[in-house]
Amino acid sequence: MTVAVAPEPTAQDVLAAGGTLKSLRDTWVITKRNTLRMMRIPEALLLGMAQPVVFVLLFAYIFAGTFTVPGGGGSMAYREYMMPGFFAQTVAFVTAGNSSIGMANDIQRGMVDRFRSLPISRAALLNGRAAADIVQNCLVIVVMVICAVVVGWRIHRGLGHAILGFLLLLVLGYALSWVGVLIGMAVRTPEAAGSGNFLWLFPLTFLSNAFVTPSTLPAVLRFAAEWNPISATIQACRNQFGNPSLMQTHTFPMLHPALVSLLWSVGIAVICRTLAVRKYSSVGA
């Protein structure tokens, strides 16, 4: 008489049995891990925040006097005009840089292989990184707001509208974090990941309405700037904060910036997350 012995459950069997709840727990563990690692290296966080603060001070006290905002207000009006652009630019650079370099580090140090061997959700490592980026973006925005208030930036439409503007910034940051994750898995070293971000972040942020109105650009560049996801988010934030917008065009993104910003962010997040999960299945294998 033989006794049938049940086979040992594989990692995939354990994962399937856990379902959505287990996937959320795995994501929370990875998010906590990435957040704690960020807090334990405060010098990296502080240095990452120092650059945007220096940019704000340079534009506020050196370059602002050379720009004019229609309707008057002098350099103070331009400071209010430029700050939503700096908010979006900082969120984009900090988020994408942190995601891509962090992901490349995990691959180089063998963390991806270790996590793949464990019975955890296949996307938990990626979801946890993107979620940790939201925490970092909240800290960055707080620092940027303090710096903005110091140089004269103000909110003129109330707390509710301001919260909506900051939420749009966080949603955009979440979307761009998936771009960073994808880049981090596509390159071989953290150094390459850091350099690769500049190839798309600089055109994306500077070819926008962050510092000048798109109406001053040639036709092709004006079209690109008006339909830029960064431009839509900046325009929406200016509307919500009550800051000068200099809107001299009547294209759909500039007339409905909050909607376009949200659509851009959701589209980028869905596409890049899907590609990142697929790439994660093969990277390092």
Side-chain angles (χ1 to χ4, degrees):
M1 181 178 179
T2 60
V3 179
V5 179
E8 290 291 330
T10 64
Q12 289 75 14
D13 294 333
V14 175
L15 176 60
T20 303
L21 184 59
K22 185 179 187 306
S23 178
L24 291 175
R25 287 198 302 265
D26 294 339
T27 298
W28 165 247
V29 171
I30 301 299
T31 301
K32 184 178 178 181
R33 172 241 181 192
N34 290 333
T35 303
L36 289 176
R37 186 171 65 175
M38 176 182 64
M39 296 301 180
R40 289 169 180 170
I41 313 177
E43 59 271 20
L45 184 62
L46 293 176
L47 290 174
M49 294 180 181
Q51 180 177 341
V53 170
V54 171
F55 266 99
V56 169
L57 296 177
L58 285 175
F59 271 80
Y61 294 108
I62 298 178
F63 299 113
T66 64
F67 295 93
T68 59
V69 176
S75 61
M76 189 60 68
Y78 183 76
R79 291 175 188 178
E80 290 202 347
Y81 171 80
M82 75 175 187
M83 282 314 307
F86 275 116
F87 290 153
Q89 183 190 51
T90 301
V91 165
F93 272 88
V94 171
T95 299
N98 181 65
S99 297
S100 60
I101 295 174
M103 195 70 223
N105 264 320
D106 283 342
I107 294 174
Q108 189 180 60
R109 296 173 181 177
M111 291 302 300
V112 168
D113 293 332
R114 296 178 187 178
F115 281 116
R116 187 186 285 116
S117 67
L118 298 175
I120 64 174
S121 170
R122 185 174 64 174
L125 177 63
L126 310 183
N127 290 335
R129 176 159 300 284
D133 288 337
I134 295 178
V135 177
Q136 183 177 17
N137 276 333
C138 290
L139 297 175
V140 169
I141 288 177
V142 170
V143 173
M144 290 295 294
V145 167
I146 294 173
C147 184
V149 171
V150 170
V151 301
W153 174 78
R154 297 293 184 270
I155 296 172
H156 302 287
R157 293 196 62 191
L159 182 60
H161 287 283
I163 291 175
L164 179 58
F166 289 126
L167 286 176
L168 288 173
L169 287 171
L170 291 176
V171 173
L172 175 68
Y174 177 79
L176 295 181
S177 70
W178 285 107
V179 181
V181 168
L182 195 57
I183 292 175
M185 289 189 293
V187 299
R188 296 183 178 181
T189 64
E191 293 78 12
S195 300
N197 285 318
F198 287 95
L199 296 178
W200 65 278
L201 278 175
F202 264 106
L204 188 69
T205 54
F206 282 92
L207 187 58
S208 68
N209 61 354
F211 309 113
V212 297
T213 177
S215 62
T216 63
L217 302 175
V220 175
L221 296 181
R222 181 170 65 248
F223 177 83
E226 290 170 345
W227 286 89
N228 187 334
I230 296 287
S231 292
T233 303
I234 293 172
Q235 185 70 23
C237 288
R238 286 174 178 147
N239 291 346
Q240 299 303 321
F241 299 150
N243 297 148
S245 62
L246 305 186
M247 187 182 71
Q248 300 177 12
T249 60
H250 298 282
T251 56
F252 186 82
M254 295 297 100
L255 293 175
H256 308 279
L259 174 62
V260 174
S261 172
L262 189 60
L263 291 175
W264 266 118
S265 297
V266 171
I268 292 172
V270 170
I271 293 173
C272 291
R273 183 187 182 279
T274 301
L275 295 176
V277 173
R278 292 180 180 178
K279 182 70 174 175
Y280 176 67
S281 301
S282 58
V283 67

